């Protein structure tokens, strides 16, 4: 009897292995994952961690290859989400800013001065607002799995210290390719110029543009003090959450078990990436800011009164975009931030 029990158990195990092998045979040898920047940027770190954890936890059944520089869409960041829906890209760790031309609601995170701190950002991505955003992304044609982070975007320039909106008058600043950024910087008196990051770097070097806005991790890794960006103002006017997504057809090709592995790997990689994005910027650990100051850069932290001047001057932009994004969603976000 024991012999027959052993044989039945062995047969069941072989059947399970056979099913897994059959599914694995239908899997691609490689799944292409799009990002804008590679490691050592936190964005690339999160993507690489996702690939590492997925391969490890699926015993190599699912292999992710990272393609930084949005090279799968010829460097055009704003085309990335469309390419995911079309299946040109299998997966992505993408920016809410870059996808906002296709998903208007993602402009929520670009509302000027909505999020005063990291707790406010977390209250959105990890609460009902984040759940609602995921529902919207799903309806738009991609499967969202988890959040990561590019960070709060700070303004830098080669001309002058920025403490008031008047200090921005006439400054030619590179901004990302979303209309709300043109509106914000125009309201503050600057001359916003939309261009890809590939074009921005030489423009900063030659002085064709005076400054830019990006998280300090990007500033640091790229040694932007060497590009003349010797004035940094910490104002935390918007943040740039990142989202792990999968093309729906690719998602459906996986077994339920592998889907859950892929999702949990994204959650864990996202948390890892958030830690990397905030390192040296939170609490008693200000080492990244100290490092930047060590290059002779003037780093200004606005007082509450100074920050309020920027809040006030961009409020008409906030109100106009609240209507475009959806008042109910913005109201939900404002409540989440207030209750953080």
């Amino acid at each position: 009897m024991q012999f027959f029990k052993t044989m039945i158990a062995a047969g069941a195990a072989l059947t399970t292995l056979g099913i897994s092998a059959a599914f694995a045979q239908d899997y691609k040898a490689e799944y292409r994952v799009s990002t804008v920047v590679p490691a050592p940027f936190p964005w690339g770190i999160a993507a690489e961690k996702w690939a590492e954890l997925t391969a490890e936890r699926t015993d190599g059944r699912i292999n992710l290859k990272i393609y930084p520089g949005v090279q799968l869409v010829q460097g055009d960041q704003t085309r990335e989400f469309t390419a995911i829906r079309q299946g040109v890209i299998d997966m992505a760790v993408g920016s809410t800013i870059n996808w906002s031309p296709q998903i208007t609601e993602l402009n929520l995170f670009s509302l000027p001065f909505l999020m005063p701190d990291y707790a406010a950002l977390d209250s959105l991505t990890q609460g009902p607002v984040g759940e609602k955003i995921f529902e919207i992304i799903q309806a738009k044609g991609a499967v969202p799995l988890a959040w990561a982070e590019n960070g709060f975007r700070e303004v830098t320039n080669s001309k002058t210290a920025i403490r008031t909106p008047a200090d921005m008058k006439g400054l030619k600043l590179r901004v990302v390719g979303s209309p709300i950024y043109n509106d914000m910087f125009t309201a503050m008196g600057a001359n916003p110029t939309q261009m890809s990051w590939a074009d921005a770097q030489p423009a900063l070097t030659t002085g064709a543009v005076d400054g830019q806005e990006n998280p300090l991790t990007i500033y640091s890794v790229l040694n932007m003090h060497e590009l003349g960006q010797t004035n940094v103002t910490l104002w935390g006017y918007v943040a740039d959450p990142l989202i792990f997504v999968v093309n729906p057809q690719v998602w459906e090709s996986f077994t339920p078990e592998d889907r859950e592995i892929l999702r949990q790997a994204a959650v864990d990689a996202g948390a890892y990436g958030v830690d990397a994005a905030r390192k040296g910027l939170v609490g008693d650990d200000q080492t990244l800011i100290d490092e930047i100051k060590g290059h002779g850069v003037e780093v200004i932290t606005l007082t509450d009164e100074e920050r309020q001047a920027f809040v006030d001057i961009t409020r008409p932009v906030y109100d106009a975009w609240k209507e475009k994004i959806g008042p109910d969603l913005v109201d939900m976000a404002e409540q989440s931030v207030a209750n953080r």
Side-chain angles (χ1 to χ4, degrees):
M1 179 62 72
Q2 185 59 43
F3 172 78
F4 285 112
K5 287 181 178 179
T6 301
M7 292 300 292
I8 291 170
L14 287 171
T15 300
T16 301
L17 287 171
I19 292 172
S20 297
F23 276 112
Q25 287 173 2
D26 292 334
Y27 289 0
K28 296 181 182 180
E30 167 192 303
Y31 291 91
R32 305 197 297 175
V33 181
S34 179
T35 69
V36 171
V37 293
F41 300 98
W43 195 333
I45 287 171
E48 293 287 355
K49 193 68 173 178
W50 190 24
E52 174 191 327
L53 293 176
T54 298
E56 177 185 301
R57 295 174 183 179
T58 61
D59 297 321
R61 289 191 303 279
I62 302 176
N63 295 293
L64 312 185
K65 182 174 180 181
I66 312 303
Y67 287 82
V70 276
Q71 58 187 281
L72 299 175
V73 284
Q74 293 75 52
D76 187 346
Q77 298 164 216
T78 60
R79 288 178 50 211
E80 188 178 55
F81 188 78
T82 299
I84 294 162
R85 289 188 302 188
Q86 294 172 341
V88 175
I89 297 171
D90 298 315
M91 306 179 194
V93 182
S95 160
T96 53
I97 295 173
N98 291 340
W99 295 353
S100 63
Q102 288 78 42
I103 308 173
T104 304
E105 292 86 350
L106 292 182
N107 285 288
L108 173 75
F109 300 101
S110 296
L111 282 174
F113 303 99
L114 168 64
M115 300 163 286
D117 51 34
Y118 286 111
L121 175 56
D122 291 340
S123 75
L124 300 186
T125 60
Q126 306 306 311
V129 171
E131 293 173 4
K132 182 62 176 177
I133 291 290
F134 273 20
E135 291 174 8
I136 292 168
I137 291 172
Q138 185 93 36
K140 292 286 187 178
V143 180
L145 303 184
W147 295 91
E149 191 171 296
N150 194 25
F152 277 95
R153 302 178 75 88
E154 316 294 5
V155 65
T156 77
N157 79 97
S158 60
K159 299 292 187 182
T160 186
I162 296 174
R163 290 187 179 275
T164 71
D167 295 327
M168 298 183 69
K169 186 173 179 59
L171 284 180
K172 192 170 185 179
L173 300 176
R174 179 265 176 181
V175 297
V176 295
S178 178
I180 191 172
Y181 289 85
N182 266 346
D183 293 350
M184 278 189 284
F185 281 86
T186 299
M188 290 185 280
N191 179 11
T193 301
Q194 292 183 333
M195 61 177 67
S196 71
W197 187 243
D199 293 332
Q201 288 178 272
L204 290 169
T205 302
T206 62
V209 296
D210 301 316
Q212 58 87 54
E213 47 79 53
N214 253 314
L216 289 186
T217 51
I218 288 181
Y219 180 100
S220 174
V221 172
L222 292 178
N223 293 314
M224 290 182 65
H225 62 281
E226 296 178 355
L227 302 180
Q229 299 300 289
T230 54
N231 298 284
V232 175
T233 295
L234 307 181
W235 61 350
Y237 82 120
V238 301
D240 186 14
L242 306 175
I243 305 175
F244 294 74
V245 300
V246 182
N247 168 271
Q249 288 71 41
V250 171
W251 181 251
E252 290 299 324
S253 73
F254 297 137
T255 65
E257 293 79 12
D258 281 343
R259 285 180 214 154
E260 184 52 37
I261 290 172
L262 191 66
R263 184 191 304 277
Q264 189 58 52
V267 170
D268 295 342
Y272 188 80
V274 167
D275 286 344
R278 298 183 186 183
K279 185 177 181 182
L281 295 170
V282 294
D284 294 333
D285 181 10
Q286 299 290 302
T287 52
L288 182 55
I289 294 173
D290 292 340
E291 173 195 314
I292 293 170
K293 289 180 178 178
H295 295 301
V297 175
E298 183 174 6
V299 179
I300 293 170
T301 300
L302 298 181
T303 66
D304 290 343
E305 293 77 13
E306 288 171 337
R307 188 175 185 274
Q308 189 60 44
F310 288 97
V311 173
D312 293 342
I313 203 168
T314 57
R315 191 66 199 189
V317 176
Y318 186 110
D319 292 339
W321 277 87
K322 179 174 181 176
E323 294 301 314
K324 296 177 184 180
I325 293 164
D328 290 345
L329 180 61
V330 177
D331 285 343
M332 186 191 301
E334 292 170 347
Q335 190 64 48
S336 294
V337 169
N339 294 338
R340 70 189 186 282

